[in-house]
Amino acid sequence: MGLHVFGHDPSGDTALSERALIEAVDVLIFCAPIRQTPAVISHYVAQAAGIEREQLWLDITSIKAVPVAVMLTSQAEVVGLHPMSAAPKAATLRGRSMVVCEARLDKWRPWLEDFLAATEADCVRADAEQHDRIMALVQGMVHATHMAQGAVLRELAPAVGDLDGIRPFSSVGYELDVAVTRRILASNPAIYQDIQFENPHVAPMLERLAAHLDTLRDLVRQGDDEARDRMRETLLEQSRAYVGEQAIAEGSYAFERLGYLLADLHEPRYISVFLPVDRPGSLRALLSVFEQRGINLDSIHSSRSADGDLLFRIGVSRDGDTLALRSAMSAIEAEGIGRVVDAPG
Ligand SMILES: NC(=O)C1=CN([C@@H]2O[C@H](COP(=O)(O)OP(=O)(O)OC[C@H]3O[C@@H](n4cnc5c(N)ncnc54)[C@H](O)[C@@H]3O)[C@@H](O)[C@H]2O)C=CC1
Ligand SMILES: O=C(O)C(=O)Cc1ccc(O)cc1
């Protein structure tokens, strides 16, 4: 959008004082640790002392009710945002959800619409309270169950060969859950702490989660047919009726597709190629290299490297001709089609 972006961060960018920042901007975005955010916003309201009247104030905190309420104590126009993913390595939020809580919006509306369009996020509107209730489920529950899984694995895996010993036995569900757990463990702990502790709707959710796990444990201990029937009724049949046949079929198919994806990604024989030129026909040129050498492809996935580069990952059958593959890799580079970034084995 051609915007000039600058800010103030006490542990980094302090070139502008808070007051100077407020004087310089049209739009102020709060992006501070969840637990500190209400106090940070209050402090800015006091510092602004009315000069914010013509401004738009935004925040991207994972919890919305309190930050939005505190922003409303200013005289600025106010919108709470919550992008539902970490900053992707792509240039925009395309394909990601973002919650938009319009709290006080008037003359900034057209600018906000342009801004939201520029993010390319899939925007969903909600009031801040509804956002926090939903986040107790979307984030609070998912994080809680996976942090608990991490703790259970830590306690019980050593007796069965540790995590590496379990891996060859893994199911699609286990792999997906392990990926979620590890993503949480790889990230900033304060976020996961604050999402549990700062959202008032999390504690009641945890009550329900714990109640269902307690009941399941009691039923399994009871062990008879009556206990089995009760488990089936409360944890399967009632939820099946609630979710509905269509959504269950779609979710089950989504799981299957992830299973195929994981299976492809586990295949040891593949070539990952970075295509530097983003133009129609570049994938066709890449594929023709394999065609010319009679190499049969098992799978093609477009994906991103850990650094965010767009890659094509091409799976080749295990019994394919190694020399032909080597020749294909050389041709990809020599003909300037792309760069082979990974080709194990
Ligand atoms: N990390 C993520 O994936 C996502 C984070 N968010 C939200 O973004 C916000 C920031 O999260 P992260 O970047 O992960 O945290 P972070 O801890 O990496 O960064 C927070 C920054 O805020 C600074 N800060 C602390 N006090 C400040 C103050 N008084 N004024 C200005 N800056 C101050 C810190 O020095 C730090 O650089 C949080 O509200 C979080 O809920 C939202 C969606 C995704
Ligand atoms: O790691 C990821 O991709 C996340 O999903 C992180 C994340 C953390 C906090 C949010 O409020 C939203 C997303």
Side-chain angles (χ1 to χ4, degrees):
M1 293 178 76
L3 301 173
H4 182 41
V5 181
F6 46 99
H8 173 92
D9 185 323
S11 65
D13 186 352
T14 52
L16 277 179
S17 72
E18 292 159 345
R19 173 74 193 189
L21 177 69
I22 301 167
E23 282 170 359
V25 300
D26 298 310
V27 179
L28 187 60
I29 306 186
F30 293 97
C31 172
I34 300 170
R35 196 178 181 194
Q36 270 102 58
T37 291
V40 171
I41 299 173
S42 280
H43 177 68
Y44 273 77
V45 175
Q47 292 274 310
I51 62 167
E52 77 283 14
R53 203 168 293 120
E54 301 299 316
Q55 297 178 352
L56 172 64
W57 281 17
L58 306 171
D59 79 310
I60 63 158
T61 321
S62 304
I63 294 175
K64 294 266 62 87
V66 174
V68 166
V70 182
M71 285 195 289
L72 283 173
T73 66
S74 75
Q75 296 179 51
E77 294 189 28
V78 170
V79 177
L81 302 174
H82 184 193
M84 293 308 304
S85 83
K89 281 150 190 155
T92 70
L93 292 170
R94 183 145 54 95
R96 321 281 175 136
S97 302
M98 180 157 70
V99 188
V100 180
C101 304
E102 287 181 18
R104 184 164 61 218
L105 188 61
D106 181 20
K107 71 176 178 51
W108 278 97
R109 183 177 294 281
W111 184 90
L112 182 82
E113 294 306 335
D114 287 350
F115 174 69
L116 297 180
T119 69
E120 295 191 304
D122 295 329
C123 291
V124 56
R125 314 274 161 161
D127 70 41
E129 173 72 15
Q130 184 194 13
H131 165 277
D132 289 358
R133 285 181 179 277
I134 291 173
M135 283 309 136
L137 301 174
V138 170
Q139 296 197 295
M141 182 174 72
V142 169
H143 299 169
T145 46
H146 286 89
M147 290 188 291
Q149 287 190 31
V152 171
L153 284 171
R154 184 185 78 226
E155 289 165 357
L156 301 186
V160 292
D162 280 321
L163 301 175
D164 287 346
I166 295 177
R167 186 105 208 275
F169 297 79
S170 78
S171 63
V172 172
Y174 177 80
E175 256 192 63
L176 295 175
D177 276 17
V178 161
V180 175
T181 305
R182 291 182 185 182
R183 177 70 178 190
I184 291 170
L185 299 180
S187 307
N188 173 5
I191 285 223
Y192 295 93
Q193 247 176 348
D194 292 349
I195 284 174
Q196 296 293 316
F197 282 72
E198 301 298 318
N199 182 344
H201 306 290
V202 160
M205 174 282 296
L206 290 173
E207 290 284 351
R208 300 312 310 143
L209 192 59
H212 284 295
L213 287 175
D214 282 348
T215 305
L216 176 60
R217 179 206 49 214
D218 293 345
L219 292 173
V220 168
R221 280 198 177 135
Q222 188 181 321
D224 56 15
D225 282 351
E226 190 220 334
R228 284 168 177 267
D229 289 348
R230 273 202 41 216
M231 188 211 104
R232 185 188 286 216
E233 176 61 19
T234 55
L235 291 181
L236 296 173
E237 302 294 355
Q238 289 181 11
S239 300
R240 193 169 9 220
Y242 174 68
V243 176
E245 252 174 57
Q246 165 101 9
I248 287 175
E250 284 167 11
S252 178
Y253 176 51
F255 180 92
E256 263 181 49
R257 288 203 297 171
L258 288 170
Y260 291 124
L261 177 63
L262 288 176
D264 283 349
L265 297 183
H266 281 163
E267 275 300 310
R269 237 166 165 231
Y270 67 89
I271 299 177
S272 277
V273 184
F274 170 61
L275 293 184
V277 192
D278 186 7
R279 63 167 152 73
S282 50
L283 178 59
R284 192 166 178 275
L286 173 63
L287 296 182
S288 71
V289 170
F290 295 94
E291 185 186 351
Q292 284 155 15
R293 288 161 183 79
I295 300 170
N296 212 15
L297 307 183
D298 275 357
S299 64
I300 306 175
H301 295 281
S302 77
S303 166
R304 286 192 188 263
S305 72
D307 293 330
D309 288 334
L310 189 61
L311 300 180
F312 283 98
R313 185 189 188 283
I314 298 180
V316 278
S317 57
R318 287 184 195 200
D319 47 6
D321 177 352
T322 306
L323 283 180
L325 260 184
R326 288 232 172 91
S327 151
M329 279 158 45
S330 307
I332 290 166
E333 304 252 350
E335 292 171 27
I337 293 169
R339 186 158 43 84
V340 177
V341 292
D342 196 14

